Amino acid sequence: APLARRLYELAGGAAEVLKEYKVNAVAVEQIYSHYQRPRTAILMAHARGVILLEAARQGIDVLHLPATTIKKHVTGNGRATKEQVQHMVRRLLSLSGEPSPDAADALACAIAHAHGGQGLGALSSAGRRKSGRLTSIASLNNLNVKPK
């Protein structure tokens, strides 16, 4: 499908998820100026822009977090590997399996925002929502990451 059509569908899905889960904040990883794969970065920037637009349309606050901050909040190390982030996301959310790298990144961003930089100990109370689990923008990608 053409890019414009895919972005249109993403916008509809984003609007639906943001409304359905009554999202009051969206956390996203900051974009950096240098990437190994510029084409991928550009495509991701399009998708990111659509999600930010939908959040703005619904009056939802957006927090932009550096990757090192996200990793620090989730693993205790701002230079953690993708595998370390995956492992800690699985442990923190009591997932039955290891999330994919993309799902782990999205969930790590939500976790970092959820405990607001108060350290990993704050996650048990501040990071959980009424349903007993975090609602993440990762849902937009149909990542199907579910707690045990």
Side-chain angles (χ1 to χ4, degrees):
L3 176 62
R5 181 72 189 158
R6 291 193 324 237
L7 294 174
Y8 175 81
E9 291 171 2
L10 177 62
E16 185 179 316
V17 168
L18 294 171
K19 284 179 187 169
E20 179 181 343
Y21 289 99
K22 297 175 179 62
V23 174
N24 60 13
V26 172
V28 294
E29 185 176 326
Q30 284 181 348
I31 292 183
Y32 296 95
S33 61
H34 121 83
Y35 283 89
Q36 290 178 339
R37 297 178 185 92
R39 179 168 163 63
T40 300
I42 290 168
L43 292 173
M44 292 301 295
H46 288 313
R48 186 178 191 272
V50 166
I51 292 168
L52 297 179
L53 175 63
E54 288 303 320
R57 283 186 177 160
Q58 295 185 35
I60 298 169
D61 291 332
V62 177
L63 176 67
H64 302 265
L65 297 169
T68 54
T69 299
I70 295 167
K71 291 175 181 182
K72 175 93 172 150
H73 287 305
V74 174
T75 68
N77 176 3
R79 302 270 183 225
T81 65
K82 284 205 171 278
E83 293 79 16
Q84 290 169 322
V85 172
Q86 285 176 278
H87 178 73
M88 283 306 296
V89 165
R90 178 182 182 187
R91 290 193 57 183
L92 289 169
L93 298 179
S94 302
L95 301 175
S96 59
E98 206 81 358
S100 73
D102 290 338
D105 286 349
L107 291 167
C109 192
I111 290 167
H113 175 62
H115 69 74
Q118 300 171 25
L120 293 175
L123 180 64
S124 59
S125 59
R128 301 283 177 172
R129 298 288 184 245
K130 291 177 188 172
S131 66
R133 64 187 171 125
L134 287 170
T135 300
S136 170
I137 204 69
S139 302
L140 294 177
N141 294 326
N142 296 319
L143 298 172
N144 298 320
V145 176
K146 300 187 186 332
K148 284 183 190 175

